C-alpha cells in the first residue's frame, strides 16, 4: 500500500546564498541596502580574485571567505558610500541641495520604477526589505517636499534636500538601471521591448542626481 505523501522540493541554498545573506545583513545594520544580484557579483568577484592570486580553484577559494571576511567586504562598501551617511537620520541632516519641483517629481517616479525592478529580482522572502528600503527614501522625499517653506532657497519652485538622501536615491535608481540593462527580471506589465528605454531613463535620472549633489 502506497501513501499519498507528496514530495516538497525546497530549492537548495548554496554557499553564495548564505554569504549574500551575511553581506546584506551587515549593510542593513547601518541602514544601507543593496540588491542580491549585485551583492552576489561582488562576492563572486572576490572568490575569483582569491583563486587567481593563490593559483587555486574557485571551490577552494571559497573556503578562505568566511563570514567575517564577507562582513569586512560589506564594511569597506560602507566606507565607499560614506557620502550617504550610513546609519544617520537623514531627516535631520543639513539640507543644502536645491531641487526644482519638477525634478523632485521625476526622482519620486524613478524611485518607484526602481522599486518595482528590484522587487521583481528578489526572492519572495526578501520583498519586505525591498519595500521598506525604498519606501523610507520615498517617504523622506515626500516629507521634505510637503514641509518645504514657501520661497525656500530664494526660489519657491525649489526645495532643499540633504545631499546624502539624494545620493542614496541615486544609488537605488542606478542599481535598477543595471538590473534592467543586464537582463534582470521585469515587473508584470512592462514589455520586454521597453528594456533599453527604461534602462536609459533610469541611468539618466541617477546620473542627474549625482551631478547635482557633486556640483560646486
Amino acid at each position: 500500500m502506497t501513501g499519498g505523501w507528496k514530495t516538497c522540493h525546497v530549492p537548495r541554498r548554496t554557499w553564495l546564498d548564505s554569504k549574500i545573506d551575511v553581506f546584506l545583513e551587515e549593510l542593513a545594520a547601518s541602514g544601507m541596502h543593496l540588491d542580491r544580484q549585485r551583492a552576489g557579483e561582488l562576492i563572486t568577484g572576490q572568490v575569483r580574485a582569491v583563486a587567481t592570486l593563490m593559483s587555486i580553484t574557485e571551490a577552494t577559494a571559497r573556503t578562505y571567505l568566511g563570514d567575517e571576511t564577507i562582513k569586512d567586504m560589506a564594511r569597506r562598501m560602507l566606507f565607499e558610500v560614506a557620502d550617504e551617511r550610513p546609519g544617520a537620520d537623514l531627516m535631520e541632516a543639513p539640507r543644502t541641495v536645491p531641487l526644482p519641483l519638477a525634478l523632485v517629481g521625476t526622482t519620486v517616479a524613478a524611485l518607484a520604477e526602481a522599486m518595482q525592478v528590484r522587487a521583481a529580482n528578489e526572492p519572495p522572502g526578501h520583498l519586505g526589505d525591498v519595500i521598506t528600503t525604498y519606501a523610507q527614501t520615498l517617504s523622506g522625499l515626500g516629507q521634505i517636499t510637503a514641509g518645504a517653506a514657501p520661497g525656500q532657497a530664494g526660489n519657491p519652485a525649489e526645495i532643499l534636500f540633504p545631499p546624502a538622501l539624494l545620493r542614496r536615491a541615486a544609488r537605488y535608481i542606478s542599481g535598477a538601471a543595471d538590473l534592467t540593462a543586464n537582463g534582470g527580471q521585469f515587473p508584470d506589465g512592462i514589455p520586454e521591448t521597453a528594456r533599453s528605454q527604461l534602462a536609459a531613463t533610469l541611468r539618466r535620472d541617477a546620473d542627474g542626481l549625482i551631478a547635482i549633489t557633486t556640483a560646486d
Side-chain angles (χ1 to χ4, degrees), residues 18-100:
S18 66
K19 298 309 176 189
I20 289 174
D21 287 345
V22 171
F23 189 91
L24 296 182
E25 286 169 5
E26 187 66 22
L27 290 181
S30 294
M32 301 299 289
H33 300 270
L34 186 70
D35 63 271
R36 292 183 68 83
Q37 178 174 312
R38 179 58 179 153
E41 291 170 353
L42 292 172
I43 295 170
T44 299
Q46 187 67 16
V47 169
R48 290 171 180 163
V50 170
T52 299
L53 180 65
M54 302 180 68
S55 298
I56 56 179
T57 67
E58 291 186 10
T60 302
R62 285 197 290 269
T63 65
Y64 289 90
L65 298 180
D67 286 358
E68 283 305 313
T69 301
I70 299 299
K71 289 179 181 179
D72 283 342
M73 287 179 60
R75 293 175 192 132
R76 288 196 298 272
M77 183 175 181
L78 288 172
F79 179 79
E80 293 169 2
V81 295
D83 55 1
E84 295 180 27
R85 301 187 62 181
D89 181 356
L90 298 187
M91 295 301 293
E92 300 298 326
R95 302 174 185 181
T96 59
V97 178
L99 253 62

Side-chain angles (χ1 to χ4, degrees), residues 95-100 103-104 152-153 155 158-161 166 212:
R95 302 174 185 181
T96 59
V97 178
L99 253 62
L103 186 51
V104 175
Q152 189 180 69
N155 185 341
E158 290 186 337
I159 298 171
L160 290 174
F161 287 90
L166 300 180
I212 287 174

